[in-house]
Amino acid sequence: MIRLIPPWLTAHRAVLLALGALAIAAFVVSASDSEFAYRPDELALSLLISVVVSGAVTYLCAAVVRVPPGSDSWLITALILFFVLPGASDSAAAVTVAVGAAAAACSKYVLAWRRRLVINPAVAGAVVVYALAYAEVGSIAYPVWWVAAEPLLYPMVVIGALLVTALREWRLVAVFLAASLVTVGVLELTEGGQSLQFWYTSSPTFFVAAVMLPEPLTSPTVRVHRTIYGALVGVLMYWQVSIPISDAFTLEFVPEIALLVGSVYAFAVRLFTRTSADRRPRLDLVGPAPAGTESDTSPAEGVKAEGVKAEGVKAEGVKAEGAKSIAANTYELVVDGRVPLDFVPGQWAMLSAPEWSRPLWRSSRRVFSFAEAPGVVPGRFAFTVSGEVSPVKAGLISGSTGRVFLDSSGGDFVLPRHRSDRPIVLLASGIGITPFRSMLRSALAEGRTLDRFALIHVVRSADRMVYQDVLDAAEAAGADVQVIESSSLADGFDPRSLGLALDSTVVLGGAAHYYCSGNPRFVQTTAHAIRRFDPRTRRAFWRVHADAFLGY
């Protein structure tokens, strides 16, 4: 299914399209169903207020702090609040929408820690409205989550399923849905009075699952914490318990409060894990390192094992020249963050290049894999281009984009935490070699022998070969390295070709871990071949790791 996702469909574009389609469905239902809560004109006014106020306040706050806003994130926030806050059926509802949109926009700049969001802005706007309504401030109304109306159930399920598929977030959504169902079941057994129909027709279960939970900047970035996060929100949304806070206030876990707790949990995880992305560092593009410096030495040289640090390269004062071409349609991005980047080899990074004039449809964010060992300065990323080049990549290549921000980093495409004698098989197609370069650079920097590593890099043509110096160093350290030129294998191995490429005695006898990285077709086809080549991985599914490059 992943291979059907077009490269231009980034996560933010997918969410925008989904919310737009759901808004159209809402207007159609409103116009055709006389019993719907709001008339089309009331929905139109609510949408207009949410979009205008969110955009105006966002750009005002951005001008104050002198940082361009995300070109599409504020619109996504406005559309979410359109479905959460009441339709503009009267002046009180209109004021409620305006207050919620303004609060959400301000939260991006006020509720921030080291330039990183603490709370999902849409959640912040809904919580502010909830608090003001609870305190009976003016005529502010409560969030009503009218998107949970029964006539919108089928559009929400279909659109939500497509969105979750595009975002590749089925694991998180499944955990959330399971946790919420279990909570409803437990309450039915202990207290009674629960309704499964209410769960799927009269509560915003599917909207929260598909649209709000996967928000990338305020949710955890590794699997174990994402699982806890999804379960936590699922339980709290349906945990019908009121907690007295004071004589005047009782905490009830309405959807916005449950999502608030989830955002706080994600923030606490960031505080304790402490990666470079927590500071949202600015990364300046720098030119290629001069000859004889660290980038021209073997990967094991110029780097220290503890707190890996480059010796001999200082990026300060080096003129930005854009991403450099390292192979056909392949570019390397060299960046200086003034401080070493902290991550686990194999993880991804979300980079943004915000601009004041960027159109809404042109997202300022892209996801790349780290190509350098942790702590090495300068840092490196690599990417390919094909067809029409995205504005972000075009700016990086030309050098017109002189700096990017590291918005987030994470992922579980990493080597086993506990070292063992089990073989490690790295299978890459094209630019999918990038996370493996990071893994190998880190292992070489620590002085480790690589005799349990087998790496196969498939390229469509000889002019696409990259990082041969690192592969040669890995081979010298004991790794079994193969570079295969094959246009057919670049789209995936079959069991026979995989068996011919690998030493079956070593791999099958040692319960190997397999890592597949590259285009979606290569990853899916190769992962399927691995399960046939090594049948034990059908049960030990955790030994097959995949990292599909979707338009990197």
Side-chain angles (χ1 to χ4, degrees):
M1 190 69 178
I2 291 176
R3 69 181 64 176
L4 300 179
I5 302 173
W8 56 265
L9 190 61
T10 62
H12 281 72
R13 283 181 176 177
V15 175
L16 273 177
L17 284 175
L19 290 172
L22 191 58
I24 292 173
F27 278 101
V28 170
V29 169
S30 176
S32 59
D33 186 350
S34 60
E35 296 183 359
F36 195 71
Y38 303 108
R39 301 190 308 269
D41 61 314
E42 295 170 344
L43 292 182
L45 180 57
S46 176
L47 179 60
L48 178 64
I49 293 173
S50 184
V51 170
V52 171
V53 172
S54 180
V57 175
T58 294
Y59 276 89
L60 178 62
C61 292
V64 171
V65 300
R66 299 180 181 180
V67 175
S71 58
D72 47 11
S73 61
W74 67 265
L75 181 57
I76 291 175
T77 299
L79 290 174
I80 291 175
L81 291 175
F82 166 64
F83 292 107
V84 172
L85 302 179
S89 56
D90 52 35
S91 59
V95 170
T96 299
V97 175
V99 169
C106 288
S107 73
K108 299 179 183 180
Y109 302 91
V110 176
L111 299 178
W113 175 262
R114 294 181 176 179
R115 297 187 291 185
R116 278 289 306 274
L117 291 177
V118 174
I119 298 173
N120 183 331
V123 173
V127 168
V128 168
V129 167
Y130 174 85
L132 293 176
Y134 191 96
E136 299 181 349
V137 175
S139 56
I140 301 296
Y142 283 98
V144 295
W145 297 84
W146 60 265
V147 70
E150 187 171 352
L152 289 176
L153 174 62
Y154 291 117
M156 182 67 253
V157 170
V158 173
I159 294 170
L162 292 174
L163 176 59
V164 173
T165 300
L167 299 178
R168 296 188 294 168
E169 291 288 3
W170 278 111
R171 184 192 302 271
L172 173 63
V173 169
V175 169
F176 167 77
L177 295 177
S180 61
L181 273 175
V182 168
T183 303
V184 171
V186 170
L187 289 175
E188 171 65 23
L189 291 174
T190 57
E191 300 179 10
Q194 304 302 306
S195 170
L196 185 60
Q197 184 177 5
F198 174 83
W199 177 83
Y200 67 82
T201 62
S202 301
S203 68
T205 303
F206 299 115
F207 185 79
V208 169
V211 176
M212 304 195 71
L213 269 186
E215 203 286 323
L217 299 181
T218 56
S219 60
T221 59
V222 296
R223 185 177 300 131
V224 61
H225 291 297
R226 288 182 74 78
T227 300
I228 296 173
Y229 164 76
L232 179 65
V233 176
V235 169
L236 292 182
M237 267 188 63
Y238 295 93
W239 189 36
Q240 299 173 5
V241 174
S242 297
I243 302 177
I245 304 299
S246 66
D247 293 338
F249 178 68
T250 299
L251 179 64
E252 296 180 355
F253 289 104
V254 291
E256 55 268 30
I257 299 300
L259 287 164
L260 174 64
V261 175
S263 291
V264 171
Y265 171 76
F267 174 65
V269 169
R270 292 204 305 270
L271 285 181
F272 284 102
T273 53
R274 298 200 176 195
T275 64
S276 300
D278 295 335
R279 301 182 294 274
R280 196 180 182 243
R282 167 176 168 164
L283 306 177
D284 296 317
L285 274 66
V286 298
T293 59
E294 182 270 336
S295 63
D296 293 313
T297 63
S298 73
E301 296 174 355
V303 183
K304 293 182 180 179
E306 297 297 330
V308 187
K309 181 179 180 181
E311 299 176 354
V313 171
K314 286 191 178 289
E316 292 86 344
V318 181
K319 182 181 178 182
E321 299 180 9
K324 64 176 182 177
S325 176
I326 57 175
N329 299 326
T330 305
Y331 296 85
E332 184 178 62
L333 190 64
V334 184
V335 297
D336 171 29
R338 308 301 177 187
V339 294
L341 298 179
D342 184 20
F343 58 92
V344 180
Q347 289 188 320
W348 51 260
M350 179 182 290
L351 304 182
S352 65
E355 297 177 5
W356 290 105
S357 59
R358 189 178 297 277
L360 290 176
W361 185 246
R362 296 183 177 179
S363 174
S364 59
R365 293 188 175 94
R366 283 293 184 275
V367 177
F368 302 87
S369 284
F370 289 101
E372 189 54 272
V376 172
V377 179
R380 298 175 189 274
F381 305 93
F383 60 90
T384 59
V385 295
S386 61
E388 183 180 355
V389 182
S390 70
V392 171
K393 290 182 178 179
L396 296 175
I397 293 171
S398 67
S400 60
T401 298
R403 55 93 180 96
V404 294
F405 293 92
L406 177 57
D407 288 346
S408 183
S409 65
D412 299 283
F413 193 72
V414 298
L415 295 175
R417 179 178 303 179
H418 303 291
R419 298 181 188 177
S420 67
D421 294 330
R422 291 185 176 184
I424 302 294
V425 179
L426 310 178
L427 303 166
S429 174
I431 197 59
I433 192 67
T434 307
F436 297 153
R437 183 188 190 275
S438 179
M439 294 176 183
L440 295 175
R441 285 276 296 166
S442 179
L444 291 167
E446 296 173 0
R448 294 162 54 186
T449 58
L450 303 179
D451 53 353
R452 65 191 182 100
F453 281 73
L455 183 146
I456 300 177
H457 184 204
V458 183
V459 294
R460 295 187 186 277
S461 57
D463 60 357
R464 299 251 180 145
M465 295 181 183
V466 293
Y467 300 134
Q468 191 61 47
D469 57 339
V470 177
L471 301 185
D472 290 341
E475 189 170 24
D480 178 10
V481 177
Q482 299 179 58
V483 178
I484 301 175
E485 182 182 345
S486 170
S487 58
S488 60
L489 291 182
D491 287 329
F493 284 92
D494 56 53
R496 179 179 178 278
S497 60
L498 186 62
L500 292 174
L502 295 175
D503 186 338
S504 302
T505 303
V506 175
V507 173
L508 297 180
H513 279 265
Y514 301 86
Y515 292 78
C516 308
S517 177
N519 64 75
R521 182 183 295 275
F522 173 85
V523 169
Q524 288 191 342
T525 302
T526 303
H528 179 69
I530 289 171
R531 294 184 178 94
R532 295 178 61 188
F533 167 73
D534 187 350
R536 289 178 299 177
T537 59
R538 297 174 186 175
R539 296 186 301 274
F541 57 87
W542 57 87
R543 292 201 281 116
V544 180
H545 312 260
D547 187 30
F549 280 39
L550 297 176
Y552 276 34

